[in-house]
Amino acid sequence: MTAEVICVGTELLLGDILNTNAQFLAKQLAGLGIPHYYQTVVGDNPERLKQVLEIATARSPQGGGLARTQILLFTGGLGPTPDDLTTETIADFFNAPLVERPEVIEDITRKYAQRGREMTPSNRKQALIPQGADILPNPAGTAPGIIWQPRPNLTILTFPGVPSELKRMWQETAVPYLKSQGWGKQIIYSRMLRFWGIAESALAEKVSSLLDLPNPTVAPYAGQGEVRLRVSAFASSETAALELIKPVEQEIQQIAGLDYYGADNDTLASVVGQLLQSSGQTLSVAESCTGGGLGQMLTTISGSSSYFMGGVISYDNQVKISLLDVNPEDLAQHGAVSDLVAQQMAIGVKQRLATDWGVSITGIAGPGDGTETKPVGLVYIGIAAPDNTVESLKYQLNPQQERSLIRQMSACQALDLLRRKLLANSSRR
Amino acid sequence: MTAEVICVGTELLLGDILNTNAQFLAKQLAGLGIPHYYQTVVGDNPERLKQVLEIATARSPQGGGLARTQILLFTGGLGPTPDDLTTETIADFFNAPLVERPEVIEDITRKYAQRGREMTPSNRKQALIPQGADILPNPAGTAPGIIWQPRPNLTILTFPGVPSELKRMWQETAVPYLKSQGWGKQIIYSRMLRFWGIAESALAEKVSSLLDLPNPTVAPYAGQGEVRLRVSAFASSETAALELIKPVEQEIQQIAGLDYYGADNDTLASVVGQLLQSSGQTLSVAESCTGGGLGQMLTTISGSSSYFMGGVISYDNQVKISLLDVNPEDLAQHGAVSDLVAQQMAIGVKQRLATDWGVSITGIAGPGDGTETKPVGLVYIGIAAPDNTVESLKYQLNPQQERSLIRQMSACQALDLLRRKLLANSSRR
């Protein structure tokens, strides 16, 4: 059994967009233990798409039973516009007629009505499905995909190119389907361990003895301030894989200490959320250079309203004075980017919003506004604690980084600082 | 003439990394006007790599002269470890012996010495170059690539997988080489036009007569609430391309009216910023469900401090009362997600921060907290104007969408609403 990924879209060949779908599907196939040897990108061109189909189907694997099965995963070209050609081209290749499916018409009509709009004539072609194919529903978008076996031992699944729609269709329909067909018996299962406050090379050296293990394997990654270790096990089930992974994970956690903050879907925001939730404490934020980004991060967590009350975006200095009670003379003398102002912002928002904790960020995101004494990337983070003490820490982020990265890393740094203080506080109780 | 991209690397097929090299090369080829119709990803496997070579070389284009030439660009597999097989496999496919090139040995030795290290035995294979091939130098890394014409009308260029090394080799050596061979005389240059507030199918129907143009071409795209039209021209220079694009762009803008908001690097935040800047007016935001995301979007723009003063993240209802002066009885009676509260939030923040405009967002981001009368995706946006009038608009976003997308689209919707009001206001002055 093998699976190939075929991404359809001229925008990929023009380099307009990054092919994240290919990575997602490859990772998913690895997770299901389905061998995957080829990916192809082709444009919105029926002749070339048919050539690709010819080549891919000629590569059908040898062997008996399940081993002989081939899966072709297509992304893109399911939209309503003239250059969306995937479904009709695939049907044409296998000489199957297209049939208009009324349930798809109904579904598209209903989705448009919900948004106060009407379905347009061009949407009708999205309801044309090859005869004999099943519909792969697309709850978050308009165009459905198909699950189709046009000939024995060949299964075709099509998805739209929009990554969020594809991922949802994959999880909700494709994975259960593939598992029901018997795939995914041996799996590769991974846990992604996350670290903040330590460089990749430093962490890799701390865990160097673990980087040569055969199963599970440990691989380091880094990006945007975060460092990760992927621990992957090849086993017959998730449970068996975890039995291999857990001891290694525990050893890594012991070695890394507080630099380890979570795994997989944990984020600094979710971990901080859990700590606040279990202590029953509340939080507010006072943001300058991040402009609301810290609040945005905290509120990505559904249910954050139980601990996050809100905050003040004091982008302008006058707002720091009027809404956060920062002393105008201190502001004038020390500047907004200073320990003193960071502390006053933190205490100010804590008091104004009557929360247990107050966190502030003030800094220079760049690319302009840096000086010799206060360069781009300089950030102060203030933390006001439940006992009304307040402290601030100074960070110098790499000034060569883009504005957006400096802002993102500042917000993460603030979350990590709060995380460590919450952990220290909870161990004292 | 055509160019194909072949990315070699098992890590790509496992989904461990994102294939940014493919996008980079595709974009570069478009910029040089070199037709590019296929991309392939294959693992570190000689048999399958040879199959891919077989398929690619069989696709050599027809025609006379330069038109018949084919370029194959390879990335990956040039390293010193056992799984790095690209060079030897390509040589094997064309039955060419490998020759150790002393200048490469010297170069690698020197690079290692610079870092205080010694070349290892495994590096020697990186000096094995197919007989007759030229070396493609790699100043930022170890492994050189090759430029080779193993047969008439076929040119092969190989690059390491490390993006920074590839980009440098591409710019410093590959581009001058391709231009010297006569390529890049014609380029493909595109403008990406951006729209908000209209569905892709509706816009495509409005511009349907333009979707068949041969040069420039017009192609629709959509994602996350935004709709785009890519206008691409094939011409001898960027200037000549723009001469072809501009009339079509103008026609599209006329057809689309206010649904068109900008092009290329324009964002709703940057366009709103320009409008506020030119009117000399200021803005504050009052955010509930977006938690700071609207402020974060506005402040992605460097220099936004000249018009964006800040705001209040009133995530909890008590904060709406204490910091935005929302009437507690109205809040209790109508709920936070209502026209009335949206209006009070907008006027409240405008007055508290003494800005010309105040924008509010209150809604249900999901996945929980939806009811029959107030479902997930229901959002109210309030706008308080300089003359102290305030209005609110209600939106029902697709409740099936993820929380993060609902929040992002709410913020964009608020920006678009403000954009249209600013445009209306400026045309009245």
Side-chain angles (χ1 to χ4, degrees):
Chain A
M1 132 199 56
T2 63
E4 292 200 25
V5 171
I6 296 164
C7 300
V8 181
T10 301
E11 67 273 21
L12 287 163
L13 295 175
L14 287 175
D16 284 345
I17 60 175
L18 201 45
N19 193 354
T20 59
N21 290 333
Q23 184 191 22
F24 171 76
L25 289 172
K27 208 166 179 143
Q28 289 290 317
L29 291 168
L32 289 166
I34 297 175
H36 171 48
Y37 300 131
Y38 298 96
Q39 295 175 0
T40 308
V41 175
V42 68
D44 302 304
N45 179 287
E47 285 321 305
R48 288 193 277 270
L49 179 50
K50 277 193 263 187
Q51 270 198 50
V52 167
L53 268 157
E54 185 69 59
I55 289 161
T57 50
R59 286 198 278 241
S60 57
Q62 307 308 308
L66 201 59
R68 204 169 50 235
T69 331
Q70 190 186 34
I71 313 166
L72 300 182
L73 304 173
F74 290 82
T75 75
L78 300 191
T81 63
D83 61 346
D84 291 299
L85 302 153
T86 301
T87 315
E88 67 194 69
T89 306
I90 294 174
D92 189 24
F93 180 81
F94 292 102
N95 293 315
L98 290 168
V99 177
E100 187 179 272
R101 297 280 286 265
E103 65 269 46
V104 176
I105 300 275
E106 269 175 53
D107 186 57
I108 295 179
T109 308
R110 188 182 46 79
K111 282 167 174 169
Y112 271 74
Q114 250 178 3
R115 291 174 240 162
R117 291 185 181 149
E118 268 187 45
M119 191 176 110
T120 63
S122 55
N123 288 117
R124 279 202 101 85
K125 86 166 175 181
Q126 296 178 296
L128 290 170
I129 306 291
Q131 192 171 62
D134 288 318
I135 288 158
L136 212 170
N138 182 359
T142 311
I146 61 175
I147 302 178
W148 191 26
Q149 281 175 300
R151 46 172 94 136
N153 298 319
L154 175 64
T155 299
I156 289 180
L157 286 82
T158 67
F159 301 87
V162 181
S164 53
E165 293 176 27
L166 181 153
K167 285 172 184 170
R168 179 125 181 227
M169 291 161 79
W170 177 267
Q171 300 293 8
E172 292 189 9
T173 306
V175 170
Y177 170 78
L178 293 169
K179 286 184 165 175
S180 75
Q181 297 298 303
W183 287 307
K185 290 260 180 304
Q186 278 284 100
I187 62 164
I188 298 168
Y189 186 78
S190 301
R191 290 263 294 162
M192 187 72 88
L193 310 183
R194 302 181 179 282
F195 307 80
W196 189 277
I198 182 170
E200 185 189 11
S201 48
L203 181 63
E205 265 168 50
K206 281 189 174 184
V207 301
S208 57
S209 61
L210 303 176
L211 297 180
D212 287 323
L213 294 175
N215 193 20
T217 56
V218 179
Y221 296 93
Q224 313 201 316
E226 183 183 75
V227 173
R228 295 176 287 282
L229 291 176
R230 194 199 65 226
V231 187
S232 304
F234 191 68
S236 59
S237 69
E238 192 176 306
T239 318
L242 279 165
E243 272 172 43
L244 292 170
I245 290 172
K246 278 300 176 183
V248 173
E249 185 173 338
Q250 268 155 20
E251 191 174 347
I252 291 171
Q253 283 184 41
Q254 261 188 327
I255 295 170
L258 282 181
D259 294 335
Y260 167 83
Y261 79 79
D264 290 340
N265 290 334
D266 289 333
T267 60
L268 286 167
S270 72
V271 170
V272 161
Q274 281 155 20
L275 290 166
L276 286 168
Q277 192 101 38
S278 50
S279 66
Q281 295 178 322
T282 58
L283 169 69
S284 59
V285 299
E287 304 191 47
S288 193
C289 59
T290 41
L294 177 57
Q296 194 269 347
M297 268 189 204
L298 282 159
T299 56
T300 53
I301 310 304
S302 175
S304 50
S305 57
S306 65
Y307 50 84
F308 179 67
M309 298 298 107
V312 173
I313 306 170
S314 53
Y315 208 57
D316 185 77
N317 282 345
Q318 188 52 46
V319 181
K320 293 178 178 75
I321 294 168
S322 61
L323 257 65
L324 294 172
D325 308 311
V326 168
N327 185 311
E329 276 140 32
D330 290 334
L331 195 49
Q333 190 180 340
H334 297 265
V337 182
S338 60
D339 276 303
L340 194 54
V341 172
Q343 290 168 19
Q344 293 184 12
M345 286 170 66
I347 268 282
V349 75
K350 174 188 150 70
Q351 287 170 349
R352 282 274 191 148
L353 271 70
T355 52
D356 296 300
W357 296 87
V359 172
S360 69
I361 306 182
T362 174
I364 302 166
D369 296 337
T371 64
E372 248 189 63
T373 46
K374 293 193 184 183
V376 169
L378 176 63
V379 175
Y380 288 87
I381 292 165
I383 302 213
D387 63 3
N388 284 315
T389 56
V390 62
E391 65 177 290
S392 58
L393 277 95
K394 168 184 169 181
Y395 295 95
Q396 178 59 59
L397 303 177
N398 181 351
Q400 293 295 322
Q401 286 168 140
E402 276 191 23
R403 176 186 177 81
S404 55
L405 189 54
I406 288 174
R407 292 181 350 130
Q408 185 186 310
M409 287 181 64
S410 302
C412 289
Q413 197 76 286
L415 287 172
D416 186 60
L417 205 58
L418 179 61
R419 174 183 74 90
R420 291 169 187 261
K421 289 206 86 62
L422 288 168
L423 284 167
N425 249 43
S426 71
S427 64
R428 274 199 290 268
R429 282 129 135 266
Chain B
M1 131 202 53
T2 63
E4 294 200 24
V5 170
I6 298 164
C7 301
V8 182
T10 301
E11 68 274 20
L12 287 163
L13 295 175
L14 288 176
D16 284 346
I17 59 174
L18 201 46
N19 193 353
T20 59
N21 291 332
Q23 184 190 23
F24 171 76
L25 290 172
K27 206 163 182 145
Q28 289 290 315
L29 291 168
L32 289 166
I34 298 173
H36 171 48
Y37 300 131
Y38 298 97
Q39 296 175 358
T40 307
V41 175
V42 67
D44 302 303
N45 179 287
E47 285 321 304
R48 288 194 276 272
L49 179 50
K50 278 193 263 186
Q51 269 199 49
V52 167
L53 268 157
E54 185 68 59
I55 289 162
T57 50
R59 288 199 276 241
S60 56
Q62 308 307 309
L66 201 59
R68 204 171 49 236
T69 330
Q70 189 185 36
I71 314 166
L72 300 183
L73 304 172
F74 290 81
T75 75
L78 301 190
T81 64
D83 59 348
D84 290 300
L85 303 153
T86 301
T87 315
E88 66 193 71
T89 306
I90 294 175
D92 188 24
F93 180 81
F94 292 103
N95 293 316
L98 289 169
V99 176
E100 188 179 273
R101 296 281 285 266
E103 66 268 48
V104 177
I105 300 277
E106 269 176 54
D107 186 56
I108 296 179
T109 307
R110 188 181 47 77
K111 283 169 175 170
Y112 271 75
Q114 254 177 1
R115 291 174 240 163
R117 291 184 184 151
E118 268 185 45
M119 190 176 110
T120 64
S122 56
N123 289 117
R124 280 201 100 85
K125 86 167 177 182
Q126 296 178 296
L128 290 170
I129 306 292
Q131 195 170 58
D134 288 318
I135 287 157
L136 211 171
N138 181 359
T142 312
I146 62 176
I147 301 177
W148 191 25
Q149 280 175 301
R151 44 171 95 139
N153 299 319
L154 174 63
T155 300
I156 288 180
L157 286 82
T158 68
F159 302 87
V162 180
S164 53
E165 294 176 26
L166 182 153
K167 285 172 185 169
R168 189 144 168 211
M169 293 162 78
W170 178 265
Q171 300 292 7
E172 293 188 9
T173 307
V175 169
Y177 170 77
L178 293 169
K179 286 184 164 172
S180 74
Q181 298 297 302
W183 288 308
K185 291 256 181 301
Q186 288 281 101
I187 63 162
I188 299 170
Y189 185 81
S190 301
R191 290 261 296 161
M192 189 71 89
L193 311 183
R194 302 182 180 282
F195 307 80
W196 190 278
I198 182 169
E200 185 191 9
S201 49
L203 181 63
E205 263 169 51
K206 281 188 174 185
V207 302
S208 57
S209 61
L210 304 175
L211 297 179
D212 286 323
L213 294 176
N215 194 19
T217 55
V218 179
Y221 297 95
Q224 312 202 316
E226 183 183 74
V227 173
R228 296 177 285 283
L229 290 177
R230 193 198 63 229
V231 187
S232 305
F234 191 68
S236 59
S237 69
E238 190 176 309
T239 317
L242 279 165
E243 271 172 46
L244 292 170
I245 290 172
K246 279 300 176 183
V248 174
E249 185 173 337
Q250 270 155 16
E251 190 174 346
I252 290 172
Q253 284 183 39
Q254 260 189 328
I255 295 172
L258 284 180
D259 292 337
Y260 167 82
Y261 79 79
D264 290 339
N265 290 334
D266 289 333
T267 60
L268 286 167
S270 73
V271 169
V272 162
Q274 278 154 22
L275 290 166
L276 286 168
Q277 191 101 39
S278 49
S279 66
Q281 293 178 324
T282 57
L283 169 69
S284 59
V285 299
E287 305 191 46
S288 192
C289 59
T290 41
L294 176 57
Q296 195 270 346
M297 267 189 204
L298 282 159
T299 55
T300 53
I301 310 303
S302 175
S304 49
S305 57
S306 66
Y307 49 84
F308 179 65
M309 299 296 107
V312 173
I313 306 170
S314 55
Y315 208 59
D316 185 75
N317 281 347
Q318 188 52 46
V319 181
K320 292 178 179 74
I321 294 167
S322 61
L323 258 64
L324 294 171
D325 307 310
V326 169
N327 185 312
E329 277 141 26
D330 290 336
L331 195 48
Q333 191 180 342
H334 297 266
V337 181
S338 60
D339 275 303
L340 194 53
V341 171
Q343 290 167 22
Q344 293 184 12
M345 286 170 66
I347 267 282
V349 75
K350 173 189 151 69
Q351 286 169 350
R352 283 273 191 150
L353 271 70
T355 53
D356 296 300
W357 296 88
V359 172
S360 70
I361 306 183
T362 173
I364 303 167
D369 296 336
T371 64
E372 247 189 63
T373 45
K374 293 192 183 183
V376 168
L378 175 64
V379 174
Y380 289 86
I381 292 164
I383 303 213
D387 64 1
N388 283 316
T389 56
V390 63
E391 66 178 290
S392 59
L393 277 96
K394 168 184 170 180
Y395 295 94
Q396 178 58 60
L397 303 177
N398 181 350
Q400 291 293 322
Q401 286 170 139
E402 274 191 25
R403 176 184 175 83
S404 55
L405 190 54
I406 288 175
R407 294 184 343 133
Q408 185 186 309
M409 288 181 65
S410 303
C412 289
Q413 197 76 284
L415 287 172
D416 187 60
L417 205 58
L418 179 61
R419 174 184 73 92
R420 292 168 188 262
K421 290 208 86 62
L422 288 168
L423 283 166
N425 250 46
S426 72
S427 63
R428 275 201 288 269
R429 286 132 134 257

